[in-house]
Amino acid sequence: VAIGWQEVRDRIKTFGEYPDQCRLFFREKMKSQWVDPLFESVKFAGTFDEDNMDGVPAMVLEIYQGEGKDTLKQACSIMMSVVYFFSFIGIAFRYFKKKPIMEDIPLIVFVGGFLFSIIWEAKARYVFPYFVLLHLYAAYGLTDLTEVVKVRVLKFAGKRVE
């Protein structure tokens, strides 16, 4: 245990002496954890025994061994970007509407998980549950943004807004 703490102290000292190295380390760490649209699911799901492929659906083989992985990754990347975008909007709207903090327990869990993943050793697959929590705020964001657009369009059209 003492050796582990000494390594932590040495790392903190190194980061203090080389702040650019610190920024690069944490930027790459965040990217590897929070911007992998497949959350390492294909990478760590295992491999197939080439001699025993009976019963493995063609679509699964395409994802693991063919070009299907790239297509899946692109689709999931778009979905991830949409979730992050609307989550940001949803969280911002909730902040400006001054919602009670107890309504945002999932956000508190997300922030705690995010901070923990930055400090502790973690892989993208471990942050997946926290990403799922963001879907709640993406729904808020989409709903709130839709309402704002609706009100503006109705005002522009000269209609009464209720």
Side-chain angles (χ1 to χ4, degrees):
V1 174
I3 295 171
W5 280 113
Q6 185 57 46
E7 284 189 36
V8 169
R9 283 191 288 275
D10 291 345
R11 194 67 173 155
I12 290 171
K13 183 180 176 189
T14 300
F15 282 158
E17 293 171 359
Y18 302 99
D20 289 343
Q21 181 184 5
C22 179
R23 280 190 292 279
L24 177 66
F25 172 80
F26 284 105
R27 185 182 74 218
E28 293 303 312
K29 182 174 174 63
M30 281 192 294
K31 280 175 34 183
S32 73
Q33 293 172 324
W34 292 94
V35 190
D36 180 352
L38 298 179
F39 295 96
E40 299 176 324
S41 59
V42 175
K43 180 179 178 181
F44 287 104
T47 58
F48 294 102
D49 180 6
E50 296 291 331
D51 298 329
N52 187 14
M53 301 301 275
D54 296 338
V56 178
M59 185 173 93
V60 172
L61 291 175
E62 182 64 23
I63 289 171
Y64 281 87
Q65 299 174 338
E67 294 178 16
K69 179 180 176 182
D70 293 334
T71 304
L72 179 64
K73 191 170 187 171
Q74 289 172 347
C76 289
S77 181
I78 292 167
M79 188 264 321
M80 178 180 259
S81 297
V82 168
V83 169
Y84 281 146
F85 176 75
F86 284 111
S87 293
F88 175 78
I89 290 173
I91 292 166
F93 270 101
R94 293 184 67 71
Y95 174 78
F96 290 114
K97 289 180 180 180
K98 306 232 186 285
K99 295 288 185 179
I101 193 74
M102 291 308 292
E103 289 184 16
D104 286 321
I105 289 176
L107 181 60
I108 295 167
V109 172
F110 169 79
V111 170
F114 177 80
L115 294 173
F116 180 77
S117 75
I118 297 305
I119 294 169
W120 205 257
E121 183 63 34
K123 298 187 180 319
R125 60 186 171 164
Y126 302 141
V127 303
F128 179 72
Y130 303 112
F131 179 73
V132 171
L133 291 174
L134 286 181
H135 287 71
L136 301 167
Y137 296 95
Y140 284 135
L142 182 59
T143 302
D144 290 342
L145 190 60
T146 301
E147 187 62 30
V148 166
V149 169
K150 177 180 129 186
V151 167
R152 299 233 172 154
V153 167
L154 288 174
K155 281 184 179 180
F156 181 76
K159 302 208 176 177
R160 199 176 98 200
V161 180
E162 296 177 27

PDB file of all heavy atoms in Angstrom, residues 13-39:
ATOM      1  N   LYS A  13       3.480  14.975  -8.398  1.00  0.00           N
ATOM      2  CA  LYS A  13       4.648  15.855  -8.517  1.00  0.00           C
ATOM      3  C   LYS A  13       5.026  16.047  -9.987  1.00  0.00           C
ATOM      4  O   LYS A  13       5.296  17.167 -10.434  1.00  0.00           O
ATOM      5  CB  LYS A  13       5.828  15.251  -7.750  1.00  0.00           C
ATOM      6  CG  LYS A  13       7.059  16.122  -7.762  1.00  0.00           C
ATOM      7  CD  LYS A  13       8.186  15.463  -6.975  1.00  0.00           C
ATOM      8  CE  LYS A  13       9.442  16.313  -7.096  1.00  0.00           C
ATOM      9  NZ  LYS A  13      10.608  15.639  -6.555  1.00  0.00           N
ATOM     10  N   THR A  14       5.017  14.953 -10.753  1.00  0.00           N
ATOM     11  CA  THR A  14       5.341  15.033 -12.182  1.00  0.00           C
ATOM     12  C   THR A  14       4.343  15.924 -12.908  1.00  0.00           C
ATOM     13  O   THR A  14       4.728  16.763 -13.725  1.00  0.00           O
ATOM     14  CB  THR A  14       5.344  13.628 -12.818  1.00  0.00           C
ATOM     15  OG1 THR A  14       6.319  12.827 -12.154  1.00  0.00           O
ATOM     16  CG2 THR A  14       5.655  13.686 -14.296  1.00  0.00           C
ATOM     17  N   PHE A  15       3.051  15.748 -12.615  1.00  0.00           N
ATOM     18  CA  PHE A  15       2.038  16.581 -13.255  1.00  0.00           C
ATOM     19  C   PHE A  15       2.226  18.044 -12.880  1.00  0.00           C
ATOM     20  O   PHE A  15       1.975  18.932 -13.694  1.00  0.00           O
ATOM     21  CB  PHE A  15       0.630  16.118 -12.881  1.00  0.00           C
ATOM     22  CG  PHE A  15       0.166  14.903 -13.637  1.00  0.00           C
ATOM     23  CD1 PHE A  15      -0.846  14.109 -13.126  1.00  0.00           C
ATOM     24  CD2 PHE A  15       0.715  14.553 -14.861  1.00  0.00           C
ATOM     25  CE1 PHE A  15      -1.297  12.996 -13.821  1.00  0.00           C
ATOM     26  CE2 PHE A  15       0.276  13.441 -15.561  1.00  0.00           C
ATOM     27  CZ  PHE A  15      -0.735  12.664 -15.035  1.00  0.00           C
ATOM     28  N   GLY A  16       2.641  18.310 -11.645  1.00  0.00           N
ATOM     29  CA  GLY A  16       2.895  19.688 -11.227  1.00  0.00           C
ATOM     30  C   GLY A  16       4.061  20.301 -11.972  1.00  0.00           C
ATOM     31  O   GLY A  16       4.048  21.482 -12.308  1.00  0.00           O
ATOM     32  N   GLU A  17       5.078  19.494 -12.243  1.00  0.00           N
ATOM     33  CA  GLU A  17       6.257  19.986 -12.953  1.00  0.00           C
ATOM     34  C   GLU A  17       6.025  20.108 -14.457  1.00  0.00           C
ATOM     35  O   GLU A  17       6.650  20.925 -15.116  1.00  0.00           O
ATOM     36  CB  GLU A  17       7.440  19.050 -12.690  1.00  0.00           C
ATOM     37  CG  GLU A  17       7.925  19.064 -11.256  1.00  0.00           C
ATOM     38  CD  GLU A  17       8.951  17.967 -10.964  1.00  0.00           C
ATOM     39  OE1 GLU A  17       9.265  17.176 -11.879  1.00  0.00           O
ATOM     40  OE2 GLU A  17       9.414  17.905  -9.822  1.00  0.00           O
ATOM     41  N   TYR A  18       5.141  19.281 -14.986  1.00  0.00           N
ATOM     42  CA  TYR A  18       4.869  19.256 -16.431  1.00  0.00           C
ATOM     43  C   TYR A  18       3.359  19.352 -16.675  1.00  0.00           C
ATOM     44  O   TYR A  18       2.702  18.364 -17.002  1.00  0.00           O
ATOM     45  CB  TYR A  18       5.417  17.965 -17.052  1.00  0.00           C
ATOM     46  CG  TYR A  18       6.895  17.766 -16.832  1.00  0.00           C
ATOM     47  CD1 TYR A  18       7.353  16.928 -15.821  1.00  0.00           C
ATOM     48  CD2 TYR A  18       7.838  18.434 -17.616  1.00  0.00           C
ATOM     49  CE1 TYR A  18       8.712  16.740 -15.608  1.00  0.00           C
ATOM     50  CE2 TYR A  18       9.187  18.260 -17.409  1.00  0.00           C
ATOM     51  CZ  TYR A  18       9.621  17.411 -16.400  1.00  0.00           C
ATOM     52  OH  TYR A  18      10.954  17.239 -16.189  1.00  0.00           O
ATOM     53  N   PRO A  19       2.791  20.552 -16.536  1.00  0.00           N
ATOM     54  CA  PRO A  19       1.335  20.702 -16.679  1.00  0.00           C
ATOM     55  C   PRO A  19       0.819  20.310 -18.063  1.00  0.00           C
ATOM     56  O   PRO A  19      -0.312  19.838 -18.189  1.00  0.00           O
ATOM     57  CB  PRO A  19       1.072  22.173 -16.368  1.00  0.00           C
ATOM     58  CG  PRO A  19       2.397  22.842 -16.440  1.00  0.00           C
ATOM     59  CD  PRO A  19       3.445  21.811 -16.210  1.00  0.00           C
ATOM     60  N   ASP A  20       1.626  20.484 -19.107  1.00  0.00           N
ATOM     61  CA  ASP A  20       1.182  20.070 -20.444  1.00  0.00           C
ATOM     62  C   ASP A  20       0.991  18.559 -20.500  1.00  0.00           C
ATOM     63  O   ASP A  20       0.046  18.067 -21.118  1.00  0.00           O
ATOM     64  CB  ASP A  20       2.181  20.508 -21.512  1.00  0.00           C
ATOM     65  CG  ASP A  20       2.158  22.013 -21.735  1.00  0.00           C
ATOM     66  OD1 ASP A  20       1.179  22.661 -21.317  1.00  0.00           O
ATOM     67  OD2 ASP A  20       3.125  22.523 -22.326  1.00  0.00           O
ATOM     68  N   GLN A  21       1.883  17.833 -19.862  1.00  0.00           N
ATOM     69  CA  GLN A  21       1.762  16.373 -19.807  1.00  0.00           C
ATOM     70  C   GLN A  21       0.500  15.979 -19.029  1.00  0.00           C
ATOM     71  O   GLN A  21      -0.202  15.049 -19.407  1.00  0.00           O
ATOM     72  CB  GLN A  21       2.996  15.765 -19.145  1.00  0.00           C
ATOM     73  CG  GLN A  21       2.967  14.264 -19.071  1.00  0.00           C
ATOM     74  CD  GLN A  21       4.158  13.683 -18.312  1.00  0.00           C
ATOM     75  OE1 GLN A  21       4.978  14.399 -17.751  1.00  0.00           O
ATOM     76  NE2 GLN A  21       4.236  12.365 -18.296  1.00  0.00           N
ATOM     77  N   CYS A  22       0.209  16.719 -17.985  1.00  0.00           N
ATOM     78  CA  CYS A  22      -0.994  16.464 -17.187  1.00  0.00           C
ATOM     79  C   CYS A  22      -2.252  16.665 -18.032  1.00  0.00           C
ATOM     80  O   CYS A  22      -3.143  15.815 -18.056  1.00  0.00           O
ATOM     81  CB  CYS A  22      -1.012  17.388 -15.973  1.00  0.00           C
ATOM     82  SG  CYS A  22      -2.455  17.206 -14.917  1.00  0.00           S
ATOM     83  N   ARG A  23      -2.317  17.797 -18.740  1.00  0.00           N
ATOM     84  CA  ARG A  23      -3.481  18.076 -19.592  1.00  0.00           C
ATOM     85  C   ARG A  23      -3.642  17.018 -20.673  1.00  0.00           C
ATOM     86  O   ARG A  23      -4.744  16.540 -20.932  1.00  0.00           O
ATOM     87  CB  ARG A  23      -3.362  19.464 -20.223  1.00  0.00           C
ATOM     88  CG  ARG A  23      -3.763  20.589 -19.296  1.00  0.00           C
ATOM     89  CD  ARG A  23      -3.860  21.916 -20.028  1.00  0.00           C
ATOM     90  NE  ARG A  23      -2.569  22.412 -20.489  1.00  0.00           N
ATOM     91  CZ  ARG A  23      -1.698  23.060 -19.722  1.00  0.00           C
ATOM     92  NH1 ARG A  23      -1.988  23.296 -18.464  1.00  0.00           N
ATOM     93  NH2 ARG A  23      -0.550  23.483 -20.204  1.00  0.00           N
ATOM     94  N   LEU A  24      -2.535  16.634 -21.304  1.00  0.00           N
ATOM     95  CA  LEU A  24      -2.588  15.609 -22.347  1.00  0.00           C
ATOM     96  C   LEU A  24      -3.071  14.275 -21.779  1.00  0.00           C
ATOM     97  O   LEU A  24      -3.922  13.615 -22.377  1.00  0.00           O
ATOM     98  CB  LEU A  24      -1.206  15.442 -22.992  1.00  0.00           C
ATOM     99  CG  LEU A  24      -1.104  14.357 -24.061  1.00  0.00           C
ATOM    100  CD1 LEU A  24      -1.958  14.727 -25.269  1.00  0.00           C
ATOM    101  CD2 LEU A  24       0.347  14.151 -24.472  1.00  0.00           C
ATOM    102  N   PHE A  25      -2.538  13.898 -20.636  1.00  0.00           N
ATOM    103  CA  PHE A  25      -2.928  12.634 -20.012  1.00  0.00           C
ATOM    104  C   PHE A  25      -4.434  12.589 -19.755  1.00  0.00           C
ATOM    105  O   PHE A  25      -5.115  11.640 -20.136  1.00  0.00           O
ATOM    106  CB  PHE A  25      -2.166  12.423 -18.698  1.00  0.00           C
ATOM    107  CG  PHE A  25      -2.652  11.238 -17.916  1.00  0.00           C
ATOM    108  CD1 PHE A  25      -2.243   9.952 -18.255  1.00  0.00           C
ATOM    109  CD2 PHE A  25      -3.519  11.400 -16.844  1.00  0.00           C
ATOM    110  CE1 PHE A  25      -2.700   8.856 -17.549  1.00  0.00           C
ATOM    111  CE2 PHE A  25      -3.978  10.307 -16.123  1.00  0.00           C
ATOM    112  CZ  PHE A  25      -3.565   9.036 -16.474  1.00  0.00           C
ATOM    113  N   PHE A  26      -4.965  13.629 -19.098  1.00  0.00           N
ATOM    114  CA  PHE A  26      -6.386  13.618 -18.751  1.00  0.00           C
ATOM    115  C   PHE A  26      -7.283  13.812 -19.967  1.00  0.00           C
ATOM    116  O   PHE A  26      -8.380  13.253 -20.020  1.00  0.00           O
ATOM    117  CB  PHE A  26      -6.683  14.637 -17.651  1.00  0.00           C
ATOM    118  CG  PHE A  26      -6.242  14.158 -16.301  1.00  0.00           C
ATOM    119  CD1 PHE A  26      -5.113  14.681 -15.703  1.00  0.00           C
ATOM    120  CD2 PHE A  26      -6.936  13.152 -15.648  1.00  0.00           C
ATOM    121  CE1 PHE A  26      -4.690  14.220 -14.461  1.00  0.00           C
ATOM    122  CE2 PHE A  26      -6.524  12.679 -14.414  1.00  0.00           C
ATOM    123  CZ  PHE A  26      -5.395  13.213 -13.817  1.00  0.00           C
ATOM    124  N   ARG A  27      -6.835  14.577 -20.960  1.00  0.00           N
ATOM    125  CA  ARG A  27      -7.621  14.706 -22.194  1.00  0.00           C
ATOM    126  C   ARG A  27      -7.752  13.349 -22.884  1.00  0.00           C
ATOM    127  O   ARG A  27      -8.848  12.938 -23.271  1.00  0.00           O
ATOM    128  CB  ARG A  27      -6.986  15.727 -23.139  1.00  0.00           C
ATOM    129  CG  ARG A  27      -7.857  15.963 -24.378  1.00  0.00           C
ATOM    130  CD  ARG A  27      -7.241  16.917 -25.358  1.00  0.00           C
ATOM    131  NE  ARG A  27      -6.150  16.244 -26.037  1.00  0.00           N
ATOM    132  CZ  ARG A  27      -5.009  16.808 -26.381  1.00  0.00           C
ATOM    133  NH1 ARG A  27      -4.788  18.072 -26.102  1.00  0.00           N
ATOM    134  NH2 ARG A  27      -4.077  16.132 -27.007  1.00  0.00           N
ATOM    135  N   GLU A  28      -6.642  12.650 -23.028  1.00  0.00           N
ATOM    136  CA  GLU A  28      -6.678  11.339 -23.684  1.00  0.00           C
ATOM    137  C   GLU A  28      -7.460  10.324 -22.849  1.00  0.00           C
ATOM    138  O   GLU A  28      -8.149   9.470 -23.396  1.00  0.00           O
ATOM    139  CB  GLU A  28      -5.260  10.841 -23.963  1.00  0.00           C
ATOM    140  CG  GLU A  28      -4.519  11.681 -24.988  1.00  0.00           C
ATOM    141  CD  GLU A  28      -5.248  11.789 -26.319  1.00  0.00           C
ATOM    142  OE1 GLU A  28      -5.697  10.757 -26.849  1.00  0.00           O
ATOM    143  OE2 GLU A  28      -5.378  12.919 -26.834  1.00  0.00           O
ATOM    144  N   LYS A  29      -7.344  10.416 -21.551  1.00  0.00           N
ATOM    145  CA  LYS A  29      -8.079   9.512 -20.663  1.00  0.00           C
ATOM    146  C   LYS A  29      -9.585   9.726 -20.833  1.00  0.00           C
ATOM    147  O   LYS A  29     -10.346   8.777 -20.975  1.00  0.00           O
ATOM    148  CB  LYS A  29      -7.654   9.752 -19.213  1.00  0.00           C
ATOM    149  CG  LYS A  29      -8.324   8.828 -18.204  1.00  0.00           C
ATOM    150  CD  LYS A  29      -7.724   9.053 -16.833  1.00  0.00           C
ATOM    151  CE  LYS A  29      -8.411   8.286 -15.747  1.00  0.00           C
ATOM    152  NZ  LYS A  29      -8.365   6.863 -15.849  1.00  0.00           N
ATOM    153  N   MET A  30     -10.008  11.006 -20.852  1.00  0.00           N
ATOM    154  CA  MET A  30     -11.432  11.293 -21.033  1.00  0.00           C
ATOM    155  C   MET A  30     -11.915  10.825 -22.401  1.00  0.00           C
ATOM    156  O   MET A  30     -12.998  10.257 -22.517  1.00  0.00           O
ATOM    157  CB  MET A  30     -11.711  12.784 -20.859  1.00  0.00           C
ATOM    158  CG  MET A  30     -11.772  13.198 -19.413  1.00  0.00           C
ATOM    159  SD  MET A  30     -12.436  14.850 -19.160  1.00  0.00           S
ATOM    160  CE  MET A  30     -11.194  15.860 -19.910  1.00  0.00           C
ATOM    161  N   LYS A  31     -11.121  11.063 -23.438  1.00  0.00           N
ATOM    162  CA  LYS A  31     -11.517  10.624 -24.775  1.00  0.00           C
ATOM    163  C   LYS A  31     -11.670   9.113 -24.832  1.00  0.00           C
ATOM    164  O   LYS A  31     -12.627   8.602 -25.417  1.00  0.00           O
ATOM    165  CB  LYS A  31     -10.497  11.092 -25.816  1.00  0.00           C
ATOM    166  CG  LYS A  31     -10.669  12.539 -26.216  1.00  0.00           C
ATOM    167  CD  LYS A  31      -9.606  13.076 -27.146  1.00  0.00           C
ATOM    168  CE  LYS A  31      -9.029  12.157 -28.154  1.00  0.00           C
ATOM    169  NZ  LYS A  31      -7.960  12.750 -28.963  1.00  0.00           N
ATOM    170  N   SER A  32     -10.737   8.390 -24.248  1.00  0.00           N
ATOM    171  CA  SER A  32     -10.798   6.924 -24.327  1.00  0.00           C
ATOM    172  C   SER A  32     -11.986   6.367 -23.550  1.00  0.00           C
ATOM    173  O   SER A  32     -12.496   5.304 -23.880  1.00  0.00           O
ATOM    174  CB  SER A  32      -9.499   6.299 -23.817  1.00  0.00           C
ATOM    175  OG  SER A  32      -9.398   6.389 -22.416  1.00  0.00           O
ATOM    176  N   GLN A  33     -12.451   7.092 -22.547  1.00  0.00           N
ATOM    177  CA  GLN A  33     -13.565   6.611 -21.739  1.00  0.00           C
ATOM    178  C   GLN A  33     -14.915   7.127 -22.214  1.00  0.00           C
ATOM    179  O   GLN A  33     -15.889   6.377 -22.215  1.00  0.00           O
ATOM    180  CB  GLN A  33     -13.378   7.036 -20.277  1.00  0.00           C
ATOM    181  CG  GLN A  33     -12.210   6.385 -19.606  1.00  0.00           C
ATOM    182  CD  GLN A  33     -11.963   6.972 -18.234  1.00  0.00           C
ATOM    183  OE1 GLN A  33     -12.145   8.168 -18.017  1.00  0.00           O
ATOM    184  NE2 GLN A  33     -11.549   6.141 -17.316  1.00  0.00           N
ATOM    185  N   TRP A  34     -15.002   8.369 -22.580  1.00  0.00           N
ATOM    186  CA  TRP A  34     -16.291   9.019 -22.790  1.00  0.00           C
ATOM    187  C   TRP A  34     -16.635   9.266 -24.250  1.00  0.00           C
ATOM    188  O   TRP A  34     -17.712   9.765 -24.551  1.00  0.00           O
ATOM    189  CB  TRP A  34     -16.342  10.342 -22.023  1.00  0.00           C
ATOM    190  CG  TRP A  34     -16.343  10.100 -20.552  1.00  0.00           C
ATOM    191  CD1 TRP A  34     -15.259  10.071 -19.722  1.00  0.00           C
ATOM    192  CD2 TRP A  34     -17.468   9.797 -19.737  1.00  0.00           C
ATOM    193  NE1 TRP A  34     -15.651   9.784 -18.445  1.00  0.00           N
ATOM    194  CE2 TRP A  34     -17.007   9.608 -18.418  1.00  0.00           C
ATOM    195  CE3 TRP A  34     -18.831   9.661 -19.990  1.00  0.00           C
ATOM    196  CZ2 TRP A  34     -17.847   9.296 -17.364  1.00  0.00           C
ATOM    197  CZ3 TRP A  34     -19.674   9.357 -18.929  1.00  0.00           C
ATOM    198  CH2 TRP A  34     -19.183   9.181 -17.641  1.00  0.00           C
ATOM    199  N   VAL A  35     -15.725   8.951 -25.188  1.00  0.00           N
ATOM    200  CA  VAL A  35     -16.015   9.218 -26.598  1.00  0.00           C
ATOM    201  C   VAL A  35     -15.914   7.933 -27.428  1.00  0.00           C
ATOM    202  O   VAL A  35     -15.853   7.978 -28.636  1.00  0.00           O
ATOM    203  CB  VAL A  35     -15.067  10.314 -27.144  1.00  0.00           C
ATOM    204  CG1 VAL A  35     -15.498  10.782 -28.519  1.00  0.00           C
ATOM    205  CG2 VAL A  35     -15.037  11.519 -26.224  1.00  0.00           C
ATOM    206  N   ASP A  36     -15.925   6.794 -26.796  1.00  0.00           N
ATOM    207  CA  ASP A  36     -15.943   5.517 -27.511  1.00  0.00           C
ATOM    208  C   ASP A  36     -17.404   5.115 -27.675  1.00  0.00           C
ATOM    209  O   ASP A  36     -18.039   4.695 -26.708  1.00  0.00           O
ATOM    210  CB  ASP A  36     -15.180   4.444 -26.736  1.00  0.00           C
ATOM    211  CG  ASP A  36     -15.177   3.097 -27.436  1.00  0.00           C
ATOM    212  OD1 ASP A  36     -15.900   2.943 -28.449  1.00  0.00           O
ATOM    213  OD2 ASP A  36     -14.457   2.197 -26.975  1.00  0.00           O
ATOM    214  N   PRO A  37     -17.961   5.259 -28.874  1.00  0.00           N
ATOM    215  CA  PRO A  37     -19.398   5.039 -29.038  1.00  0.00           C
ATOM    216  C   PRO A  37     -19.845   3.600 -28.794  1.00  0.00           C
ATOM    217  O   PRO A  37     -21.026   3.355 -28.551  1.00  0.00           O
ATOM    218  CB  PRO A  37     -19.668   5.451 -30.489  1.00  0.00           C
ATOM    219  CG  PRO A  37     -18.359   5.345 -31.168  1.00  0.00           C
ATOM    220  CD  PRO A  37     -17.312   5.622 -30.130  1.00  0.00           C
ATOM    221  N   LEU A  38     -18.926   2.654 -28.831  1.00  0.00           N
ATOM    222  CA  LEU A  38     -19.288   1.261 -28.556  1.00  0.00           C
ATOM    223  C   LEU A  38     -18.942   0.853 -27.124  1.00  0.00           C
ATOM    224  O   LEU A  38     -19.190  -0.282 -26.722  1.00  0.00           O
ATOM    225  CB  LEU A  38     -18.596   0.319 -29.548  1.00  0.00           C
ATOM    226  CG  LEU A  38     -18.973   0.512 -31.017  1.00  0.00           C
ATOM    227  CD1 LEU A  38     -18.198  -0.454 -31.898  1.00  0.00           C
ATOM    228  CD2 LEU A  38     -20.467   0.333 -31.216  1.00  0.00           C
ATOM    229  N   PHE A  39     -18.349   1.765 -26.369  1.00  0.00           N
ATOM    230  CA  PHE A  39     -17.961   1.496 -24.984  1.00  0.00           C
ATOM    231  C   PHE A  39     -17.188   0.183 -24.861  1.00  0.00           C
ATOM    232  O   PHE A  39     -17.375  -0.579 -23.931  1.00  0.00           O
ATOM    233  CB  PHE A  39     -19.192   1.486 -24.059  1.00  0.00           C
ATOM    234  CG  PHE A  39     -19.863   2.822 -23.973  1.00  0.00           C
ATOM    235  CD1 PHE A  39     -20.956   3.117 -24.776  1.00  0.00           C
ATOM    236  CD2 PHE A  39     -19.387   3.792 -23.118  1.00  0.00           C
ATOM    237  CE1 PHE A  39     -21.571   4.351 -24.703  1.00  0.00           C
ATOM    238  CE2 PHE A  39     -19.999   5.044 -23.043  1.00  0.00           C
ATOM    239  CZ  PHE A  39     -21.093   5.318 -23.842  1.00  0.00           C
TER     240      PHE A  39
END
